[in-house]
């Protein structure tokens, strides 16, 4: 487990997800294009738990800028595409944990797709 992704860790740094992008460590990859990668979470919190990440190592959502507007839209549409691909026809949750209080542990922006069971609210 990596340290919490705190505000003073905003500088671009390599992470476990960078190693997955470069195929230095294995992952169960379900989708890839020029800008994004999607792979199964190693510690799934639902029957389907997939992470969608940009290949550009943006540490967290709060570090995204105006120059990332198109990329952010691409990531959301990638979530939709992957959810359809894996058959989440009854709905799913999309979550972004941002920074320490957000519970972010890997400092490379990622969108969680959680599905295959009824989600509860609030998430806690
Ligand atoms: P966060 O808590 O930062 O929002 O989410 C990080 C997620 O990355 C966690 O759900 C965790 O299980 C997942 N994760 C951490 N290390 C690895 C890994 O090496 N491979 C995969 N596939 N997922 C990982």
């Amino acid at each position: 487990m990596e340290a919490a992704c705190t505000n003073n860790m905003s500088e671009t740094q390599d992470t476990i997800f960078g190693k997955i992008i470069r195929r230095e460590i294995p992952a169960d990859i379900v989708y890839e294009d020029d800008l994004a990668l999607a792979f199964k979470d190693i510690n799934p919190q639902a029957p389907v738990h997939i992470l969608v990440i940009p290949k550009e190592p943006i540490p967290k959502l709060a570090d995204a800028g105006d120059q990332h507007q198109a990329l952010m839209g691409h990531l959301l549409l990638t979530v939709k595409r992957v959810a359809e691909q894996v058959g989440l026809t009854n709905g799913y949750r999309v979550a972004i944990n941002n920074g320490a209080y957000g519970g972010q542990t890997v400092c490379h922006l990622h969108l969680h797709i959680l599905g295959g069971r009824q989600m509860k609210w609030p998430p806690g």
Side-chain angles (χ1 to χ4, degrees):
M1 180 71 72
E2 300 188 15
C5 188
T6 54
N7 290 338
N8 61 9
M9 294 172 69
S10 290
E11 69 276 8
T12 298
Q13 56 188 300
D14 195 26
T15 67
I16 199 90
F17 292 174
K19 293 180 172 61
I20 288 173
I21 292 168
R22 296 191 301 273
R23 307 302 204 270
E24 291 170 8
I25 62 168
D28 195 342
I29 293 169
V30 297
Y31 175 84
E32 180 172 23
D33 62 28
D34 289 348
L35 299 174
L37 189 70
F39 52 91
K40 293 182 182 176
D41 197 293
I42 203 167
N43 183 24
Q45 301 302 309
V48 177
H49 188 172
I50 293 169
L51 303 173
V52 174
I53 68 172
K55 289 186 172 175
E56 179 179 343
I58 301 165
K60 61 183 182 293
L61 183 61
D63 298 310
D66 290 346
Q67 72 276 23
H68 297 118
Q69 184 166 335
L71 176 60
M72 293 299 141
H74 181 77
L75 292 173
L76 271 184
L77 289 174
T78 299
V79 165
K80 187 196 91 161
R81 183 176 294 126
V82 169
E84 287 173 357
Q85 179 186 312
V86 300
L88 293 176
T89 53
N90 288 328
Y92 51 89
R93 177 164 292 162
V94 184
I96 299 176
N97 297 326
N98 180 80
Y101 269 24
Q104 185 178 359
T105 59
V106 178
C107 297
H108 183 127
L109 175 64
H110 49 283
L111 293 79
H112 296 258
I113 304 174
L114 295 149
R117 66 168 168 83
Q118 179 63 55
M119 295 296 148
K120 299 187 177 80
W121 194 264

